[in-house]
Amino acid sequence: MILTIAAAAASHIRFEDLGLSPVALDLGFFTLKWYSLAYLAGILIGYWYLLKLIRQPGAPMARRHADDMIFYATLGIIIGGRLAYVLFYQPEILQHPLDIFKLWNGGMSFHGGVIGVSLGILYLARKEGLSWLRVHDYVACCVPFGLFFGRLANFVNGELWGKETDVPWAMVFPTGGPFARHPSQLYEAVLEGLVLFLILWFAFWKTKARYQPGKLVGIFLLGYGLARFSVEFFREADVQLLEFAHRTGLHMGQWLTLPMIAGGLYLIATAKGRRVRVEPTAGSASVS
């Protein structure tokens, strides 16, 4: 049996042969990991794209609001993402509260990051008198950058791999035993990152979706929810949640996407009724 497994795995790609390392820069006294760079790239490129979006007529916020938004979004990603991971994926960390701050111990939850960013938007909108739903629309268009780089970082780290498979592109990961597995991190990078970005790009630039409050964020929630729910069928459940997955029939990640899918469908279905006249930016033609 062991020989059969070894022979099958030998015919597939071995992760070690790719020459990838979680460390991007090691100066001895300072180590920079690709995972950290992924977060920075997602935030900075998302900020650049947000500035591009708000230059269009009828934007729901000004440049100074976008500058504040990057601060609140960063806090929301870190605090919300970490707390949600601890609560839903590894609650035993709560037995040692200081370990909550050890971001390298376990990781972060995207679902929690979404909630954290959303709370940041609500605070900014209330403070500045902005339309919180339209701000959500614009920010949602920028999120796929972070998802794309984050999933690539998961791949480089050789973590969050998929289930055993015999597809030609299967990989043998160092921490996944002798079995060839789905590189599910790359599936998620494509679907949650590239495909979702293109859908939102088309909706923003080629349709009137941005003038229907809630439609773009609804498309994001639905698109991400469907992508994540689907890929989880190819992804191995977290080891501490294997029993939960067997008992409920779905992974924790899938259960957490169900409210996102339902919320996305609701926002899309009701967006047309929320359409309002959008005031033009200075020097621009009227937009209605």
Side-chain angles (χ1 to χ4, degrees):
M1 177 66 175
I2 295 177
L3 291 176
T4 302
I5 293 173
S11 64
H12 291 97
I13 304 167
R14 300 195 68 83
F15 183 81
E16 298 96 325
D17 295 339
L18 300 179
L20 299 175
S21 169
V23 178
L25 179 66
D26 188 354
L27 300 177
F29 62 90
F30 175 75
T31 300
L32 182 62
K33 295 188 176 182
W34 286 111
Y35 201 65
S36 300
L37 287 177
Y39 271 91
L40 288 173
I43 291 170
L44 293 177
I45 296 177
Y47 172 63
W48 164 80
Y49 189 57
L50 180 61
L51 295 182
K52 185 177 178 68
L53 298 181
I54 65 174
R55 283 199 293 267
Q56 305 310 304
M61 56 182 161
R63 168 66 184 264
R64 64 184 180 86
H65 300 129
D67 293 341
D68 290 341
M69 187 67 251
I70 196 71
F71 172 73
Y72 295 126
T74 302
L75 281 182
I77 290 169
I78 295 173
I79 298 174
R82 182 55 177 173
L83 289 179
Y85 177 84
V86 170
L87 291 173
F88 291 108
Y89 289 91
Q90 209 167 337
E92 58 269 22
I93 290 178
L94 293 173
Q95 298 174 11
H96 306 281
L98 290 179
D99 288 351
I100 294 175
F101 300 100
K102 299 177 181 179
L103 302 184
W104 57 90
N105 179 16
M108 313 253 279
S109 164
F110 173 75
H111 302 89
V114 166
I115 294 173
V117 171
S118 185
L119 290 174
I121 292 174
L122 290 171
Y123 173 76
L124 176 68
R126 181 179 178 83
K127 178 181 172 218
E128 300 291 340
L130 306 175
S131 168
W132 64 272
L133 197 50
R134 294 199 68 229
V135 174
H136 271 84
D137 283 335
Y138 278 61
V139 172
C141 292
C142 308
V143 176
F145 292 110
L147 289 169
F148 177 73
F149 290 117
R151 293 310 181 191
L152 289 184
N154 290 148
F155 179 73
V156 171
N157 287 347
E159 61 188 4
L160 305 183
W161 22 258
K163 295 179 179 178
E164 298 168 32
T165 183
D166 197 38
V167 296
W169 56 88
M171 292 187 181
V172 181
F173 292 91
T175 57
F179 310 102
R181 299 177 177 277
H182 283 286
S184 55
Q185 316 96 321
L186 299 183
Y187 302 170
E188 291 185 275
V190 171
L191 291 177
E192 300 169 6
L194 293 178
V195 173
L196 188 52
F197 169 75
L198 290 174
I199 292 172
L200 288 166
W201 176 89
F202 180 84
F204 184 93
W205 295 99
K206 301 299 181 181
T207 75
K208 299 293 185 180
R210 66 180 184 269
Y211 304 129
Q212 298 176 27
K215 191 165 192 177
L216 289 170
V217 71
I219 291 172
F220 168 78
L221 291 172
L222 177 62
Y224 174 83
L226 292 176
R228 178 71 182 270
F229 190 90
S230 301
V231 173
E232 287 283 343
F233 285 113
F234 301 93
R235 176 175 160 179
E236 194 70 79
D238 294 52
V239 64
Q240 72 274 18
L241 292 174
L242 281 173
E243 193 275 331
F244 173 85
H246 289 311
R247 188 174 73 252
T248 65
L250 293 175
H251 292 184
M252 177 62 79
Q254 290 174 304
W255 285 110
L256 293 176
T257 58
L258 293 179
M260 298 180 75
I261 293 172
L265 286 171
Y266 171 78
L267 287 171
I268 293 170
T270 58
K272 191 173 182 180
R274 286 189 297 271
R275 180 175 175 123
V276 295
R277 181 173 181 83
V278 178
E279 293 302 321
T281 54
S284 302
S286 296
V287 178
S288 60

